[in-house]
Amino acid sequence: MTTPTQFPHTRLRRLRRDDFTRRLVRENALSVNDLIYPVFVLDGEKKREAVASMPGVERLSLDLLLPVAEKCVKLGIPVMALFPVIDSSLKTPDGREATNAKGLVPRVVKSLKQHFPDLGVMTDVALDPFTSHGQDGLLDDSGYIMNDPTVEVLVQQALTQADAGVDIVAPSDMMDG
């Protein structure tokens, strides 16, 4: 049994009482070094599409993305995160375009690393941009996501991205295993 002088009845604030102690024990100081610039990239040239659900955000083709990457470098933003917009003709139930070494993501990664070798590039390991059904996993005949076969494709996707030269693969697909 807890007494009135024990937690949770008493919460000591000795590290928050004075300004100097609050400054000494504060956890974070946000700077440009903490930023990741997310971008949506699509295939083609001179293509720019507004993202209706995010005012001011656009999907860009690689040629229009390169000046954005240059601005990131000049501002000191260390990492750009790529989110692909895949042509619907390339989407399949198994999302195999995600493993295409000549696909959109590997081409964009290679170009960014060639033009801006010191800019970190992060890619998303997820199948939803590549599947015709829009789910993050492979589906069985009843529409249930099959975990193990999905993980196999995700591994191949991550390896494809790594082979292209990406610095960080972000496993957002969230499959078990």
Side-chain angles (χ1 to χ4, degrees):
M1 181 168 170
T2 62
T3 65
T5 59
Q6 292 178 317
F7 180 82
H9 302 292
T10 299
R11 296 182 182 206
L12 300 176
R13 302 288 188 214
R14 68 183 177 276
L15 297 180
R16 296 187 180 106
R17 185 182 64 212
D18 303 303
D19 177 62
F20 76 90
T21 56
R22 286 191 301 273
R23 287 186 291 131
L24 282 172
V25 298
R26 128 178 17 161
E27 289 186 27
N28 297 310
L30 187 63
S31 78
V32 70
N33 297 322
D34 301 304
L35 300 179
I36 297 173
Y37 193 93
V39 294
F40 299 89
V41 61
L42 48 81
D43 225 338
E45 291 183 22
K46 295 184 170 92
K47 290 178 79 176
R48 177 186 308 266
E49 296 176 357
V51 178
S53 61
M54 293 185 278
V57 176
E58 297 178 309
R59 299 173 183 107
L60 302 172
S61 55
L62 176 59
D63 57 322
L64 299 179
L65 181 64
L66 291 175
V68 174
E70 183 177 16
K71 189 173 183 178
C72 281
V73 170
K74 287 180 180 176
L75 291 171
I77 297 172
V79 179
M80 179 176 275
L82 305 178
F83 297 93
V85 180
I86 303 300
D87 187 272
S88 59
S89 67
L90 299 174
K91 295 182 180 191
T92 57
D94 64 4
R96 286 293 170 177
E97 181 63 19
T99 66
N100 180 359
K102 295 181 181 178
L104 175 62
V105 172
R107 285 186 282 117
V108 170
V109 169
K110 288 177 183 177
S111 183
L112 285 171
K113 294 309 287 182
Q114 178 185 6
H115 287 88
F116 309 102
D118 294 330
L119 176 65
V121 178
M122 176 187 290
T123 51
D124 190 31
V125 179
L127 294 182
D128 58 312
F130 301 92
T131 58
S132 53
H133 46 71
Q135 296 297 317
D136 259 339
L138 307 184
L139 304 179
D140 67 13
D141 292 337
S142 69
Y144 186 78
I145 292 179
M146 300 180 293
N147 191 67
D148 292 339
T150 298
V151 170
E152 290 177 23
V153 178
L154 293 172
V155 168
Q156 290 305 310
Q157 180 184 26
L159 291 171
T160 299
Q161 294 173 355
D163 287 343
V166 72
D167 299 294
I168 303 167
V169 291
S172 72
D173 205 280
M174 303 300 288
M175 290 290 120
D176 294 333

